[in-house]
Amino acid sequence: MYDLAVPYHTAVTAAQIRAAFAEHPEIDFVSLVHAEAATGNTNPVAEIGTAVREQGALFCLDALASVGAEPVLPDAWGVDLCVIGAQKAMGGPAGVSAGPVSERARARTAANPHAPRRSYLSLLDGKERRVDTGRKALPHAPAQLEMPPGGVRRAHRGGVGFGR
């Protein structure tokens, strides 16, 4: 894992992402915060998404703070996994979240033998239970004891289905 640090009051640029790829061509997954509530910074997701796609990497966007305040366009921006929540700009309760997943991310997860299964963290189980059935089955509700420590260990080991 590589961290791309920028000054507290600035946004990440696509040029910085491309430079990180040039220095570390093995990077195959990029995670980015869309907007930072504490600073008000908004990262240029469309431009960064283009750089990530040029690399062939998967792109995860944390849009918890921005959904409801800024446009959030995962398909248009080339985002493979987007996490949104109701607790920031939408003023909703904490813990209400959603996460659209691209077909590229689903294919990459299916190819990972360490991807979590029979778990709250499983993108594969969610697809099989919800998407493949025409959305007739309810999403998996995790057992109270599934998160942590077991779920966190699974996420770390398998990168929630991503990584090398």
Side-chain angles (χ1 to χ4, degrees), residues 87-157:
Q87 70 268 27
K88 300 270 183 167
M90 294 174 72
V96 176
S97 62
V101 181
S102 74
E103 286 304 316
R104 279 176 17 105
R106 290 189 194 285
R108 176 91 161 267
T109 304
N112 182 348
H114 302 293
R117 294 306 304 248
R118 292 168 298 286
S119 166
Y120 173 73
L121 299 173
S122 176
L123 296 178
L124 299 174
D125 291 347
K127 181 181 183 302
E128 289 169 4
R129 288 184 49 104
R130 193 88 174 109
V131 176
D132 294 349
T133 64
R135 305 198 186 285
K136 294 178 183 167
L138 292 175
H140 172 68
Q144 294 297 315
L145 298 177
E146 187 170 354
M147 293 292 284
V152 172
R153 277 197 301 271
R154 274 183 289 215
H156 177 69
R157 182 178 65 235

Side-chain angles (χ1 to χ4, degrees), residues 57-76:
L58 289 178
F59 189 20
C60 177
L61 182 67
D62 171 345
L64 286 169
S66 55
V67 71
E70 297 282 338
V72 176
L73 308 169
D75 290 339

Side-chain angles (χ1 to χ4, degrees), residues 19-45:
F21 285 143
E23 187 175 341
H24 304 285
E26 70 278 10
I27 294 173
D28 62 355
F29 184 79
V30 173
S31 182
L32 178 75
V33 173
H34 181 203
E36 178 54 57
T39 63
N41 286 334
T42 302
N43 286 308
V45 181

